[in-house]
């Protein structure tokens, strides 16, 4: 068994990519393993962030999870943590165990204490797309989101390169423009033949920890009412409309374009954020350029009707006034 880690920032699409790779006969998507409470990676953090069951089995108190039930006691040493990690990943019963934790420090910790056969998928969205999602989740300004994006990917690249961990860098835009080519490259990196089922990934059993609910809504075992109740109990209320929107997006299928940032970040604000020190350098290392982002936005504008542009402009004006 080999371990492959998805590393990068939040909001990068790791859960849906992991679940789709899980449709391959030799890939087990484990999800955000670093959040397992027994590893004590987030000691002192909000208890609702810690996990003890997978995203789907955890919705049914009577369900038995073949992977994450009957967990052993916490490890006493880092070396025991590595041994326990290998044991848990082997429960998936596949040639490749895919860890979607995204936190490169988790990979570095395991690597430094004996897990030496691991590789990494460095997954990214462009800095403005990340900043928009980060703003929606936290209320932080766009420039701060871009700064966080820069810091995360600089640290991630440094951690991988200094440890000589083999990795492949993949952009979310490559997934949305050419899904089959995107997954073919990933399978080649993992040394696997065959293909994944991009359209019917949800027909394959999955036991991934944590992740974006949007990547689970099409599974047969997903129960929206129980999910909403659990999130409300954990003080993370999720509205029915949000669940329905995620279900509708998944059912539409096909090629999806990441254009939400184009609609909600003005050119001047985007330009100022991308001109922060070091941002352009980090972008170039991951295959992005400010020029290409702005050209993509101009092309997107040409596809929008005047009425749509006016509507989006009014929404943006109202949101800016609300934030003042």
């Amino acid at each position: 068994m080999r371990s492959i880690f998805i590393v990068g920032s939040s909001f990068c699409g790791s859960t849906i990519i992991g679940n789709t790779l899980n449709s391959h006969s030799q890939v087990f998507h484990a999800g955000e393993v670093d959040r397992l409470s027994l590893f004590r990676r987030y000691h002192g953090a909000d208890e609702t962030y810690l996990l003890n069951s997978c995203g789907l089995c955890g919705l049914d108190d009577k369900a038995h999870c073949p992977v994450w039930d009957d967990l052993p006691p916490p490890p006493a040493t880092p070396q025991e943590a590595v041994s326990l990690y290998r044991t848990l990943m082997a429960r998936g019963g596949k040639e490749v165990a895919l860890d979607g934790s995204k936190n490169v420090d988790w990979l570095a910790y395991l690597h430094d204490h004996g897990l030496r056969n691991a590789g990494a998928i460095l997954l990214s969205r462009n800095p403005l797309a990340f900043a928009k999602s980060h703003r929606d989740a936290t209320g932080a300004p766009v420039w701060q989101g871009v700064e966080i994006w820069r810091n995360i990917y600089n640290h991630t690249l440094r951690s991988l390169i200094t440890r000589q961990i083999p990795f492949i860098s993949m952009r979310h835009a490559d997934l949305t423009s050419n899904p089959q080519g995107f997954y073919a490259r990933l399978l080649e990196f993992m040394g696997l033949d065959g293909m994944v089922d991009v359209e019917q990934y949800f027909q394959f059993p999955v036991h991934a920890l944590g992740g974006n609910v949007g990547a689970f809504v099409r599974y047969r075992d997903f129960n929206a009412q129980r999910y909403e109740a659990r999130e409300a109990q954990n003080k993370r209320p999720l509205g029915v409309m949000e669940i329905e929107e995620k279900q509708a997006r998944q059912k539409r299928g096909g090629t999806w374009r990441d254009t939400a940032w184009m609609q909600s970040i003005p050119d001047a604000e985007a330009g100022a954020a991308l001109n922060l020190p070091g941002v352009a350098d980090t972008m170039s290392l991951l295959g992005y350029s400010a020029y290409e982002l702005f050209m993509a936005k101009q092309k997107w504008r040409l596809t929008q009707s005047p009425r749509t542009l006016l509507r989006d402009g009014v929404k943006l004006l109202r949101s800016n006034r609300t934030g003042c």
Side-chain angles (χ1 to χ4, degrees):
M1 184 204 70
R2 291 177 290 114
S3 294
I4 300 293
F5 291 72
I6 297 177
V7 294
S9 70
S10 53
F11 315 118
C12 65
S14 62
T15 310
I16 187 63
I17 290 168
N19 284 357
T20 304
L21 287 169
N22 186 78
S23 68
H24 190 280
S25 62
Q26 290 304 315
V27 177
F28 160 55
H29 180 212
E32 298 171 347
V33 184
D34 65 330
R35 291 175 61 188
L36 269 180
S37 58
L38 67 87
F39 284 119
R40 299 174 176 172
R41 293 293 294 172
Y42 300 100
H43 181 70
D46 186 339
E47 288 296 318
T48 62
Y49 186 72
L50 304 178
L51 300 171
N52 290 296
S53 62
C54 75
L56 292 178
C57 294
L59 293 178
D60 186 350
D61 294 335
K62 297 180 181 179
H64 173 77
C65 181
V67 178
W68 304 115
D69 276 3
D70 306 317
L71 291 172
T77 67
Q79 290 72 26
E80 286 185 16
V82 172
S83 177
L84 178 56
Y85 181 84
R86 288 196 179 104
T87 299
L88 292 175
M89 294 300 98
R91 289 185 178 185
K94 302 295 178 67
E95 182 179 337
V96 173
L98 184 64
D99 186 327
S101 298
K102 297 185 292 297
N103 186 349
V104 75
D105 290 336
W106 170 237
L107 168 54
Y109 170 80
L110 294 171
H111 175 274
D112 293 348
H113 293 98
L115 188 72
R116 296 302 175 89
N117 66 335
I121 298 168
L122 176 58
L123 187 61
S124 65
R125 283 170 77 199
N126 78 66
L128 296 175
F130 168 83
K132 191 270 180 188
S133 294
H134 184 262
R135 183 185 64 187
D136 291 348
T138 68
V142 169
W143 69 265
Q144 192 172 85
V146 170
E147 187 176 59
I148 290 171
W149 181 93
R150 177 201 64 193
N151 294 344
I152 288 173
Y153 285 101
N154 281 347
H155 176 61
T156 300
L157 285 165
R158 187 180 300 111
S159 298
L160 295 174
I161 293 170
T162 56
R163 289 173 174 82
Q164 299 183 341
I165 296 173
F167 72 95
I168 182 172
S169 179
M170 303 293 290
R171 304 182 308 172
H172 193 268
D174 299 325
L175 167 64
T176 59
S177 63
N178 182 10
Q180 295 295 339
F182 180 90
Y183 287 109
R185 286 189 63 198
L186 288 180
L187 292 176
E188 181 181 10
F189 172 73
M190 292 188 285
L192 298 175
D193 296 325
M195 196 53 198
V196 298
D197 195 332
V198 176
E199 297 296 330
Q200 298 291 315
Y201 67 89
F202 52 89
Q203 299 291 352
F204 299 80
V206 67
H207 297 283
L209 295 161
N212 188 324
V213 63
F216 295 100
V217 294
R218 297 194 70 187
Y219 285 89
R220 181 185 61 186
D221 296 332
F222 180 78
N223 186 303
Q225 289 73 31
R226 288 178 179 172
Y227 180 83
E228 291 163 13
R230 186 181 69 183
E231 293 299 282
Q233 183 179 4
N234 292 335
K235 299 180 181 179
R236 295 191 301 259
L238 192 67
V240 175
M241 290 292 291
E242 186 173 350
I243 289 286
E244 291 178 348
E245 190 278 331
K246 289 177 182 291
Q247 290 174 324
R249 179 188 294 178
Q250 287 292 321
K251 288 180 180 179
R252 284 195 297 270
T255 301
W256 172 73
R257 300 291 181 181
D258 193 3
T259 60
W261 68 271
M262 300 179 185
Q263 303 173 43
S264 62
I265 302 180
D267 290 351
E269 188 175 5
L274 297 184
N275 276 319
L276 289 170
V279 171
D281 292 335
T282 307
M283 289 176 64
S284 67
L285 291 174
L286 298 173
Y288 299 103
S289 78
Y291 173 78
E292 290 176 352
L293 292 182
F294 279 102
M295 288 303 298
K297 184 172 183 178
Q298 301 315 311
K299 290 179 180 178
W300 169 81
R301 279 186 175 134
L302 294 176
T303 67
Q304 304 302 299
S305 68
R307 177 175 295 180
T308 299
L309 291 174
L310 178 60
R311 180 198 65 199
D312 292 339
V314 170
K315 286 182 179 179
L316 180 60
L317 181 60
R318 287 174 177 171
S319 66
N320 287 342
R321 286 177 175 174
T322 302
C324 293

